[in-house]
Amino acid sequence: MPVRCSVRSAGEQPDHPVTPIDPVYGFGEAGAPITLYRGPLVIGSGKPAEGHIWLRLSGDLEVLWEADKHCALGPTTLEFSCPSIGEVTIPAVATSSNGFGYLPGAETRAADDLTRVAVHWVNAPMLLPADPLTDAGKVFAGRWKCEPGSWRIVLDMRPDHGACTQGLRHSPNFAVTQIGSLERADGSPFTSAQAVDVLLGLQAALSFAFGGWVAPALPVGFNAEGTRTWEHWAPWRCDPFYGHMRWLDTYRSGDLAAVVTGFLTLWAEPSGRDLIWRLSHHAVCASNGATTTEARIMLAQAALEYLGWVTYVLEQGRASGTHRRREAHDVLRDLLTDAGIPTAIPAELNALRQVLDEPDLDGPRALTWLRNRLVHPKDAAEPYRIDKAVQHGWLLSMQHLDLLTLRPSATTATTCGGSVVALPTTANRSHGPRQPPNEPETRPCPRQADITDTGALPRRCRLRVPIRGRPRPSSRMHQRPLATRHRRLTMPLTGKQAVR
């Protein structure tokens, strides 16, 4: 299925900047609540009272409400007049008898005549290359778009994205970083249920690619006349902007289009939806730096064993007893071999070569031994005596999980700007978002593997993974320039071409 997206080279200048999508609720400051409604509010069957409904952007991404009226605790309803929509009644939960609570998830009313949905994306990184936008006389690269299947998806970056996200460092706050648009490629109408379904799949795809949860908050639907006819107010899972690691290079936005297309293709299939959702869910949670490295290994290994069961027992019909009698490393080795992924331990993760004295030791055997020793060690310090074994075990587990999660959509043909773009085939993970370089690069990261068949610009990264706690990016992460000429070599990490 072809993907049409716009990708420009770094030196190419925009010709026709366009006006960005207007945010329905504005961008605002990081952490500042977004008011959704203020006015008369009826709680349950009571009388109207002055009330307020807002989206909280600090700590948790959730919709809260309050009213100047006492009420009973527990589930209730809120009735009010929504601008451009009319009288609506939505479910709510009262957590304080003084008139305070939250919305578990509600839409103003179902709609079947939507032609466009505006989405306020929270905590998404900068994507480049991008189409040019113009705002207040300023031209900047900020529009990412693609057309997976019958849908057209657009993300417009806020003009002050860099300054806004810098303020999110070491902060529990969230920020609206992009305004998105969802519509049919042929302009035909669709229902609100279809919009929510696609947004859930898109959240899974983007969060998996970015290594942390991003949220399509406050979707607002419009009909063919441009009238607002639908809104969806709900809590969304969202991670802090910093503190997780990702494999996607956000300076290769065309690769993201390929990932989104593969995910949404599987999302449309009943069997594929459950599989891709659970794999991406485990992968995102196992990338979170706030989780201990040991717990991240367990999450990744649980996802790999789940994939093995689905693949061989549920899909291929292997007897459950036969599957259970197979060693865990044998099942993982089968998965990797069937997917064409090398099973050897990468040279960069040499600590794993020391966990067992076996001449034919490979990645699956080392990982399952490490996982078992973390849970059932012969003595309390056994797996920790080998320097960096736990960190390297997590990195290899994530490499296997990332590649196997991408594998189901790898058969989707992707084209971008006239050239073929393959799905990413490296799990070389970087800390948080990158900032645009201020000077030419002259030195690549030696572990960056190629993610296309024709070569790729090297990516700057420096990987530091503590045993516990939040990953700390190197202070020199963005100060190493790229070489104008480089040689290629085969990396054991992926078996593909890498740039040094």
Side-chain angles (χ1 to χ4, degrees), residues 12 56 105 499:
E12 186 178 351
R56 183 166 73 175
V499 178

Side-chain angles (χ1 to χ4, degrees), residues 182-196:
L182 175 69
E183 56 189 33
R184 291 286 192 185
D186 59 3
S188 60
F190 53 94
T191 67
S192 55
Q194 291 172 326
V196 172

Side-chain angles (χ1 to χ4, degrees), residues 56-225:
R56 183 166 73 175
L57 289 173
S58 180
D60 292 305
L61 194 66
E62 58 182 345
V63 182
L64 305 177
W65 63 271
E66 64 178 354
D68 296 333
K69 187 177 180 63
H70 290 280
C71 63
L73 298 178
T76 184
T77 59
L78 300 179
E79 184 179 345
F80 58 96
S81 179
C82 187
S84 304
I85 296 179
E87 294 295 326
V88 298
T89 302
I90 59 176
V93 176
T95 57
S96 171
S97 59
N98 292 324
F100 178 85
Y102 67 92
L103 301 186
E107 57 181 2
T108 53
R109 63 180 55 175
D112 58 4
D113 61 345
L114 303 180
T115 58
R116 182 177 69 89
V117 172
V119 185
H120 302 74
W121 283 95
V122 179
N123 280 18
M126 183 183 300
L127 297 171
L128 293 173
D131 282 352
L133 298 174
T134 177
D135 183 72
K138 177 183 177 182
V139 177
F140 61 98
R143 171 164 290 185
W144 175 87
K145 59 184 181 181
C146 75
E147 293 186 11
S150 62
W151 295 97
R152 179 182 296 117
I153 299 169
V154 175
L155 268 67
D156 282 356
M157 182 177 66
R158 63 186 292 167
D160 61 341
H161 185 283
C164 176
T165 54
Q166 280 296 320
L168 297 176
R169 191 180 293 274
H170 307 304
S171 168
N173 294 336
F174 304 113
V176 177
T177 53
Q178 277 99 345
I179 295 298
S181 175
L182 175 69
E183 56 189 33
R184 291 286 192 185
D186 59 3
S188 60
F190 53 94
T191 67
S192 55
Q194 291 172 326
V196 172
D197 183 70
V198 174
L199 290 177
L200 286 171
L202 191 55
Q203 183 196 29
L206 296 182
S207 300
F208 168 70
F210 299 150
W213 291 104
V214 296
L218 305 179
V220 180
F222 300 86
N223 60 18
E225 288 73 35

Side-chain angles (χ1 to χ4, degrees), residues 181-474:
S181 175
L182 175 69
E183 56 189 33
R184 291 286 192 185
D186 59 3
S188 60
F190 53 94
T191 67
S192 55
Q194 291 172 326
V196 172
D197 183 70
V198 174
L199 290 177
L200 286 171
L202 191 55
Q203 183 196 29
L206 296 182
S207 300
F208 168 70
F210 299 150
W213 291 104
V214 296
L218 305 179
V220 180
F222 300 86
N223 60 18
E225 288 73 35
T227 302
R228 185 193 307 187
T229 61
W230 171 78
E231 294 193 40
H232 186 72
W233 297 346
W236 290 90
R237 185 164 188 171
C238 191
D239 281 336
F241 194 74
Y242 295 92
H244 44 82
M245 303 183 73
R246 65 166 184 267
W247 55 263
L248 179 78
D249 185 357
T250 55
Y251 276 20
R252 296 184 58 83
S253 58
D255 294 329
L256 179 61
V259 174
V260 168
T261 299
F263 263 68
L264 292 187
T265 299
L266 288 173
W267 193 260
E269 304 172 2
S271 59
R273 173 192 300 253
D274 290 337
L275 177 62
I276 204 69
W277 167 251
R278 283 164 176 77
L279 289 179
S280 60
H281 184 276
H282 278 77
V284 174
C285 294
S287 299
N288 195 315
T291 306
T292 62
T293 309
E294 295 87 342
R296 284 180 268 172
I297 292 176
M298 302 303 171
L299 283 169
Q301 290 294 311
L304 292 171
E305 292 195 17
Y306 163 78
L307 178 59
W309 181 270
V310 171
T311 301
Y312 296 118
V313 177
L314 302 185
E315 294 181 355
Q316 298 184 13
R318 176 186 290 173
S320 59
T322 302
H323 185 83
R324 288 191 180 96
R325 286 191 294 271
R326 288 184 61 82
E327 297 288 347
H329 58 83
D330 290 330
V331 176
L332 177 54
R333 189 179 297 110
D334 291 343
L335 284 172
L336 297 174
T337 302
D338 292 346
I341 300 171
T343 61
I345 299 174
E348 297 86 355
L349 308 180
N350 55 9
L352 292 176
R353 300 177 184 273
Q354 306 174 40
V355 299
L356 286 172
D357 186 14
E358 296 181 0
D360 56 347
L361 181 65
D362 61 359
R365 177 77 174 106
L367 288 179
T368 52
W369 180 93
L370 180 64
R371 186 271 314 272
N372 292 337
R373 287 299 186 268
L374 287 173
V375 180
H376 304 293
K378 292 182 177 179
D379 60 81
E382 180 183 14
Y384 302 99
R385 290 198 184 95
I386 303 173
D387 185 36
K388 298 183 179 179
V390 176
Q391 300 97 311
H392 288 185
W394 169 68
L395 287 173
L396 186 56
S397 296
M398 290 308 303
Q399 172 180 303
H400 291 167
L401 180 55
D402 287 338
L403 295 178
L404 289 170
T405 302
L406 288 168
R407 179 65 181 176
S409 57
T411 57
T412 302
T414 60
T415 60
C416 188
S419 60
V420 175
V421 178
L423 288 173
T425 56
T426 177
N428 188 20
R429 312 176 75 79
S430 63
H431 288 275
R434 299 195 307 165
Q435 300 299 326
N438 296 322
E439 58 183 1
E441 302 184 61
T442 63
R443 184 181 173 192
C445 170
R447 294 200 303 269
Q448 172 62 31
D450 216 347
I451 62 175
T452 69
D453 294 332
T454 57
L457 289 176
R459 180 177 58 157
R460 297 164 299 163
C461 64
R462 179 180 289 261
L463 192 59
R464 292 184 180 179
V465 185
I467 293 180
R468 287 184 172 84
R470 189 180 302 275
R472 298 183 300 274
S474 167

